[in-house]
Amino acid sequence: MVQETATAREPRDADGPGTRASEIRRHELAAFLRHRREHITPEQVGLPRGRRRRTPGLRREEVAQLSAVGVTWYTWLEQARDIQVSVQVLDALARTLLLDSSERAHLFNLAGAVDPVPGTNCPSATKAQRILLDQLEPIPACIQNSRYDIIAYNRTYGLLLGDLDAVPPEDRNVMLLCCTNPDWRTAIVQLEETMRLMAAKFRASMADHLAEPAWKMLLERLTTESAEFRAAWERHEVVSSRSKRKEFRNAHVGTLAVDHTDLWLGPHNGARMVTYAPADEDSREKLEKLHTIALERRGA
């Protein structure tokens, strides 16, 4: 169950600073949650409708169950009670209520919290860096942060292991894709070894971020959704990032070999540009063909 703070805060002086603004936010949040809940059908979240359903959309207890939070606590939230809301709970509610990126941002703003999940336009990818990604074509390249979130990528990279454009921005994380996305898993030739190495690299990187909610949320999701990652994580192996030759089975051009290189954009273990240079002439030709396909798909 997602951990939530179910205890209401102590009453504050009604004339205290920020009290009125906080109260307005709570009521706006409550109204927003009710509105979204009432506009989600049971079928959209995999629940049976039943014959006696009178509530428009989902019931409160259904939202609570799907979000793994207490019914009483969620009811308090819709009643605009003065309770604390963790980012983990907000993330779970956003997923349950099928919020898009704008609605998700609105949810976190109303709750006065910082969304730990990266959006499509991450500020750490500058305009110049995005131009560089495009100029590297047909070499697949992307920009990742230390948590392996993919925050920008060029067209060829977008089709290298699957259709990255079709993946929701909050799920564009290399660790998550390798563990849970069928297309990515099929494309990686040495999947078991890759997952083991990535778990070891993630453990090494996480040492500097143990208390950060975004890292804890990602780890919880990985260990919950992937038994293979959980097994690799429990090995307690640690390895630093390093260049490596990789093989991929691409759905459009077949198997190709590339040399993986990290180009660091700041302090070591921070943001980096990941490039996959062709390891041989055959792979170079296949990447050129893949780039052409990507351009056609984007209508360029």
Side-chain angles (χ1 to χ4, degrees):
M1 176 176 285
V2 176
Q3 184 177 2
E4 77 272 8
T5 303
T7 304
R9 297 173 183 164
E10 290 296 322
R12 293 176 294 182
D13 185 353
D15 298 324
T19 302
R20 179 60 180 163
S22 177
E23 183 180 353
I24 293 173
R25 278 178 176 270
R26 293 199 308 274
H27 282 278
E28 285 292 327
L29 176 60
F32 179 64
L33 289 172
R34 285 195 301 271
H35 180 272
R36 290 301 303 145
R37 173 173 60 81
E38 292 171 356
H39 287 77
I40 299 293
T41 65
E43 292 84 355
Q44 285 179 281
V45 293
L47 295 176
R49 172 168 290 277
R51 295 182 178 180
R52 298 185 178 181
R53 179 177 292 272
R54 297 179 181 177
T55 305
L58 297 177
R59 301 185 180 99
R60 284 176 175 172
E61 57 266 27
E62 291 171 335
V63 173
Q65 179 183 0
L66 292 169
S67 304
V69 300
V71 178
T72 300
W73 183 89
Y74 179 74
T75 300
W76 285 356
L77 197 57
E78 281 202 6
Q79 291 174 345
R81 298 280 192 97
D82 190 5
I83 58 176
Q84 296 179 354
V85 190
S86 70
V87 294
Q88 291 90 342
V89 168
L90 291 172
D91 177 72
L93 290 174
R95 294 177 188 279
T96 297
L97 297 174
L98 307 179
L99 303 187
D100 61 25
S101 57
S102 298
E103 292 167 335
R104 181 186 174 96
H106 185 60
L107 173 70
F108 276 81
N109 285 337
L110 289 178
V114 177
D115 188 353
V117 176
T120 339
N121 299 315
C122 180
S124 59
T126 66
K127 181 179 179 180
Q129 290 166 353
R130 293 176 185 273
I131 292 174
L132 181 56
L133 286 175
D134 290 339
Q135 291 179 340
L136 284 171
E137 303 272 22
I139 293 176
C142 71
I143 294 177
Q144 299 175 18
N145 61 17
S146 57
R147 201 172 55 239
Y148 298 94
D149 296 318
I150 302 170
I151 55 181
Y153 55 93
N154 61 19
R155 295 179 179 91
T156 311
Y157 184 90
L159 282 185
L160 183 62
L161 292 98
D163 186 358
L164 195 53
D165 288 349
V167 177
E170 63 269 19
D171 291 339
R172 291 177 190 164
N173 176 279
V174 175
M175 300 288 303
L176 193 61
L177 290 166
C178 287
C179 292
T180 64
N181 186 283
D183 292 336
W184 276 60
R185 291 171 61 79
T186 300
I188 299 172
V189 173
Q190 297 177 317
L191 180 61
E192 184 178 351
E193 179 188 355
T194 298
M195 290 185 63
R196 181 177 171 182
L197 285 174
M198 292 199 69
K201 288 194 290 185
F202 186 66
R203 182 178 287 279
S205 299
M206 192 171 180
D208 294 329
H209 308 274
L210 292 174
E212 295 180 24
W215 286 76
K216 292 191 289 185
M217 285 172 59
L218 177 57
L219 178 60
E220 180 180 358
R221 191 173 176 192
L222 288 166
T223 53
T224 300
E225 298 183 17
S226 172
E228 293 169 286
F229 175 85
R230 190 162 59 249
W233 183 256
E234 290 172 354
R235 297 173 69 96
H236 287 268
E237 294 177 328
V238 176
V239 66
S240 59
S241 296
R242 58 174 182 260
S243 298
K244 189 177 185 296
R245 179 157 295 182
K246 298 184 176 182
E247 281 188 287
F248 298 127
R249 300 184 196 93
N250 184 268
H252 302 282
V253 299
T255 302
L256 48 85
V258 293
D259 289 323
H260 167 203
T261 302
D262 287 327
L263 305 174
W264 299 97
L265 303 177
H268 191 65
N269 292 333
R272 61 196 178 280
M273 183 175 292
V274 178
T275 63
Y276 290 121
D280 50 50
E281 184 63 21
D282 179 62
S283 297
R284 184 189 65 79
E285 292 176 358
K286 288 179 177 178
L287 285 178
E288 289 177 351
K289 182 179 178 181
L290 184 61
H291 178 225
T292 301
I293 294 172
L295 289 175
E296 292 173 349
R297 287 169 64 99
R298 291 260 187 113

